Amino acid sequence: MPVRPTLVPALLALGVSLLVPACNRDEVTHFRVAKAPQAADGVGGQASHAGAPAPPPGMAGDVAPPPAPDRGLRWTLPKGWTDQRSGGGMRYATLKAPVAGRIDASVVVLPGPAGGELMNVNRWRGQIGLGPIDEATLAAARSAVASPAGTISVYDFTSDGEKKSRLIAGLLEAGGSTWFVKVTGDAAPVGAAAKDFTQLLGSLRLE
């Protein structure tokens, strides 16, 4: 049956009055969200949980020691010198020279090229307060000592200033590893041990 034009506005008003209350009932005006529990400790913003698995190696600040080389470095000690093999890690051995004063001698081994010769030489220079050098200066500063283990690149640096430090280091790449044989300390005791140390470098061999 056709709708009379005069009834159309009345029907529209009735429809709107029925829809508005329905919309108001379904409209979301606010809601509550429960807060997450606070972390038990402040380490890394993460909570610790009893029984949680330990982090994988390298994730908790620890550094795994490098793998042991296939063949170990050996040497002949000069008269009065002693050595002590380390129980692991990068320091392979500690050498003791029979001289008084601040002096430390060590044998360190790292796998592969260990960052390269220039990087390590500049690291040593930094340890006694000297600035870095470039490849051309590196070649000029290098001397060589022949040994049964191969040719050893040797560097001898002395710091500036009134109280001088000195460092003599031999670098040998052999057997897939890089070996660092170094003596460092105050200039006087290192100088007193220098001749014997060079003799020790010449005795290096891989066994």
Side-chain angles (χ1 to χ4, degrees), residues 120-142:
N120 284 290
V121 168
N122 282 329
R123 178 171 56 83
W124 294 332
R125 288 176 59 84
Q127 290 174 352
I128 59 173
L130 296 176
I133 58 177
D134 58 17
E135 287 283 359
T137 309
L138 178 76
R142 181 193 302 122

Side-chain angles (χ1 to χ4, degrees), residues 68-76 85 92 107-110 147-152 172-181 200-207:
D70 294 336
R71 293 188 297 165
L73 195 67
R74 301 290 183 266
W75 49 84
T76 300
R85 299 296 170 86
Y92 185 76
V107 180
V108 171
V109 59
L110 291 174
S147 79
T151 301
I152 304 163
L172 170 68
E173 292 188 40
S177 300
T178 301
W179 297 86
F180 306 96
V181 185
L200 185 147
L201 290 179
S203 73
L204 294 181
R205 56 195 183 275
L206 289 169
E207 294 178 348

Side-chain angles (χ1 to χ4, degrees), residues 62-84:
D62 58 327
V63 178
D70 294 336
R71 293 188 297 165
L73 195 67
R74 301 290 183 266
W75 49 84
T76 300
L77 286 172
K79 184 179 180 180
W81 286 58
T82 61
D83 63 3
Q84 182 177 6

